[in-house]
Amino acid sequence: MASRTPTIGGNWKMNLHLQDALDLATGLADAVTGAGVQVTVFPAFPYLMPVASVFANKHSPIRVGAQDCYHQPNGAFTGEVSLSMLQDVGCSVVLIGHSERRHVVGEADALINQKVHAALDAGFEVVLAIGELLEQREQGMTDFVNYGQVCLGLAGVSAEQMARVTIAYEPVWAIGTGKTATPEDAQQAHAAIRGCLKGIYNDETAQAVRIQYGGSMKPGNAGDLLAQPDIDGGLIGGASLKVEDFAAIIDAAAGVTA
Ligand code: PGA
């Protein structure tokens, strides 16, 4: 099996205000050594630079990523943020296609694909989030939905560019609900996604891509999820807002690789 460094993301979503974000970043910088695990936090846009400064001042290996981007370089796109602006504030990672972008804001796969290309062309690492709704799972469509989102999201992305892509599998019904996929169900979905990547690219590329699980991952369930062979990390929402919980999940990821 390919050895993939686990990657843990903290998606702060539209939470915290400046002082809370600074306090959380300071606590994480003190608690997380980052040994053996790549850690990225995704604060809201206004806090990207101050949070990045906390990590830089404390020589922390924790990286800062953006929760979204726009694919156009500049111009009349009120409310949007370009990739070069994100670069200016110290970002080199961007989350694209999160379920709240897809299902609350209404982003379609075609736009997500444009964003993926723009981010890769700008030299960013991309975390492409995918996942099925509850009714789709109940209809046995989980793999079908995931294949569609992978194929459409990555359309035209080369095997070389895949070295800068992480997939976040986040079943929508598990996000923020306290319901988690069982380790077996999650593993099955992750293995199917890897199989899909093998079909699009090749075995070597598919084995190298990291696939994170997201959806109510917490200290209590992280170890069992992360122990699955095709689960290479987590994208954490609620539990990433508490230093102890997020640090415990990072420790669980480090324990799996140790
Ligand atoms: P959750 O969110 O951990 O609160 O379920 C995960 C996510 O949306 O990335």
Side-chain angles (χ1 to χ4, degrees), residues 100-150:
E100 287 139 24
R101 303 293 316 168
R102 293 177 187 266
H103 299 295
V104 179
V105 180
E107 285 190 13
D109 287 299
L111 175 62
I112 290 166
N113 180 247
Q114 285 179 303
K115 292 184 177 190
V116 167
H117 278 288
L120 291 172
D121 290 348
F124 276 70
E125 283 180 40
V126 167
V127 179
L128 173 65
I130 63 166
E132 83 285 1
L133 298 164
L134 181 59
E135 55 267 36
Q136 293 169 329
R137 171 163 285 263
E138 286 171 349
Q139 290 163 8
M141 289 170 63
T142 297
D143 292 342
F144 176 82
V145 171
N146 287 337
Y147 292 169
Q149 292 180 357
V150 165

Side-chain angles (χ1 to χ4, degrees), residues 188-225:
Q188 207 170 35
H190 281 233
I193 293 162
R194 203 176 300 287
C196 177
L197 293 171
K198 182 177 168 184
I200 303 173
Y201 299 100
N202 52 52
D203 192 45
E204 196 190 338
T205 303
Q207 290 299 331
V209 172
R210 287 176 300 179
I211 308 177
Q212 297 174 293
Y213 169 81
S216 300
M217 193 187 268
K218 298 182 275 287
N221 59 28
D224 287 345
L225 286 160

Side-chain angles (χ1 to χ4, degrees), residues 11 13 98 100 170 174-177 214-217 235-239:
N11 178 7
K13 308 192 180 187
H98 187 274
E100 287 139 24
E170 301 201 295
I175 296 177
T177 58
S216 300
M217 193 187 268
L235 184 57
I236 326 298

Side-chain angles (χ1 to χ4, degrees), residues 67-87:
Q67 296 175 16
D68 187 32
C69 64
Y70 202 58
H71 57 287
Q72 297 287 358
N74 52 52
F77 302 104
T78 301
E80 297 295 348
V81 174
S82 75
L83 287 147
S84 58
M85 292 170 183
L86 293 175
Q87 248 150 2

